[in-house]
């Protein structure tokens, strides 16, 4: 990147930051997390634009606008706000599942992603602290003998999950007896759970509850098997971008941006994560 182009990008970023400080509500404007250096811009956008991976499978984090079909919700809002702070054009790169987001990492098609923090992912992705906490839960047929979370991890119990999801990775690490049956997406896991009479469906609790409300032959167990820490991340090897992103997430939580975005998308049941401790 030439010195002239770097200088222009810095001016643009500062202009956006100044505008953000002088317009909108406090939760929308915030303050600059840091001066945007050429190194940060280059690491965030090696192609000249910020490419944000958006996973459509988690309705707590992203929903399709019923009129336009465009993604809306907290993850698109955070992606657009980050691009505005950096003075970069934004491209939303759409995926049908979290597993496909991580699979695409090696192809270099995204610069930032919104994923649950998991050890298997942290080997290749630099994560921020979480910005939202959501729950992993179980759904079973209404007449199932399984009553509490601890009942599920038994020999012979089959659990339908979306391959590569946070709860798939967590259950793979923690289950001792039950068997995971993996499907390409959450929708496919749910369809197989119903059609093949799988014992349990595992997933994010909010969509499970919505499904059970529409289909009273199923019920969602009380409690949770996991707290899912949703964070932002960038591929390893971009240290300047990773530092900036960590500060950005902390500001978005502290300013109320995250809480407001959850309310705007009718996801107020999700909890804003606490401030990072280090």
């Amino acid at each position: 990147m030439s010195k002239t182009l770097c200088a222009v990008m810095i001016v643009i970023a500062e202009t956006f930051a100044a505008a953000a400080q002088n317009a909108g509500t406090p939760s929308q404007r915030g303050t600059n997390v840091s001066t945007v250096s050429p190194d940060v811009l280059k690491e965030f956008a090696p192609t000249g634009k910020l490419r944000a991976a958006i996973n459509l499978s988690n309705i707590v984090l992203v929903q399709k606008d019923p009129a336009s079909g465009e993604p809306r919700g907290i993850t698109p809002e955070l992606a657009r706000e980050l691009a505005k702070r950096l003075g970069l054009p934004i491209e939303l790169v759409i995926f049908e599942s979290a597993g496909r987001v991580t699979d695409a990492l090696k192809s270099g098609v995204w610069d930032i992603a919104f994923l649950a923090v998991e050890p298997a992912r942290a080997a290749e992705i630099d994560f921020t602290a979480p910005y939202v906490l959501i729950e992993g839960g179980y759904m079973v047929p209404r007449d199932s003998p399984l009553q509490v979370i601890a009942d599920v991890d038994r020999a012979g119990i089959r659990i339908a999950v979306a391959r590569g999801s946070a709860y798939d990775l967590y259950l793979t690490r923690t289950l001792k007896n039950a068997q995971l049956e993996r499907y390409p997406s959450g929708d496919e896991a749910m369809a197989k759970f119903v059609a093949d009479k799988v014992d349990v469906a595992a997933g994010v609790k909010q969509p499970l509850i919505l499904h059970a409300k529409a289909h009273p032959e199923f019920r969602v167990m009380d409690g949770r098997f996991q707290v899912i820490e949703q964070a932002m991340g960038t591929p390893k090897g971009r240290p300047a971008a990773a530092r900036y992103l960590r500060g950005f997430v902390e500001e978005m939580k502290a300013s109320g941006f995250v809480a407001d975005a959850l309310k705007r998308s009718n996801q107020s049941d999700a909890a804003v994560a606490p401030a990072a401790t280090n």
Side-chain angles (χ1 to χ4, degrees):
M1 183 181 292
S2 69
K3 292 182 179 179
T4 301
L5 180 56
C6 288
V8 170
M9 294 180 77
I10 292 170
V11 170
I12 293 172
E14 291 174 346
T15 300
F16 272 113
Q21 287 177 331
N22 292 297
T25 65
S27 64
Q28 291 171 325
R29 60 177 182 260
T31 59
N32 260 348
V33 279
S34 65
T35 301
V36 184
S37 72
D39 286 344
V40 169
L41 295 174
K42 183 177 180 180
E43 289 186 5
F44 267 122
T47 65
K49 59 187 174 184
L50 183 67
R51 300 167 300 168
I54 302 295
N55 164 27
L56 297 180
S57 69
N58 189 334
I59 63 169
V60 176
L61 306 179
V62 59
Q63 311 88 39
K64 282 188 178 180
D65 186 274
S68 67
E70 292 296 312
R72 63 178 177 84
I74 187 169
T75 57
E77 287 199 39
L78 284 169
R80 293 182 178 113
E81 180 66 16
L82 177 63
K84 183 173 73 173
R85 299 294 183 94
L86 297 171
L88 292 168
I90 182 76
E91 177 187 352
L92 302 183
V93 185
I94 305 301
F95 294 90
E96 296 300 323
S97 70
R100 289 171 180 169
V101 174
T102 53
D103 289 345
L105 179 61
K106 291 181 175 62
S107 61
V109 297
W110 55 262
D111 303 305
I112 61 168
F114 300 83
L115 292 164
V117 180
E118 269 291 321
R121 294 171 178 168
E124 298 180 293
I125 299 170
D126 274 327
F127 283 105
T128 67
Y131 58 91
V132 164
L133 303 178
I134 56 181
E135 295 183 341
Y138 290 135
M139 185 168 70
V140 296
R142 182 159 293 281
D143 60 356
S144 171
L146 305 175
Q147 296 297 320
V148 297
I149 297 292
D151 290 342
V152 173
D153 192 10
R154 294 179 180 176
I157 297 297
R158 299 178 300 149
I159 306 172
V161 297
R163 183 181 295 112
S165 63
Y167 42 92
D168 174 20
L169 298 175
Y170 177 82
L171 293 172
T172 297
R173 287 189 287 109
T174 58
L175 288 177
K176 295 180 173 58
N177 301 296
Q179 174 186 343
L180 293 175
E181 297 194 358
R182 298 177 177 87
Y183 301 93
S185 69
D187 288 344
E188 290 171 270
M190 185 63 68
K192 288 293 186 179
F193 163 73
V194 174
D196 296 351
K197 300 186 184 305
V198 179
D199 300 295
V200 181
V204 174
K205 200 165 185 181
Q206 284 91 333
L208 292 181
I209 290 171
L210 288 176
H211 187 92
K213 283 182 179 178
H215 301 86
E217 65 271 28
F218 302 110
R219 59 181 166 85
V220 177
M221 287 184 171
D222 291 337
R224 66 198 182 203
F225 62 80
Q226 176 191 15
V227 174
I228 302 172
E229 298 183 331
Q230 290 290 337
M232 294 181 72
T234 192
K236 290 279 189 182
R238 305 186 187 192
R243 284 192 298 272
Y244 186 97
L245 199 59
R246 287 192 289 269
F248 171 79
V249 165
E250 293 310 303
E251 184 186 338
M252 293 299 97
K253 291 186 293 187
S255 69
F257 185 101
V258 171
D260 290 348
L262 289 170
K263 289 177 184 176
R264 283 191 291 273
S265 56
N266 297 314
Q267 301 298 325
S268 54
D269 287 344
V272 179
T277 57
N278 51 38

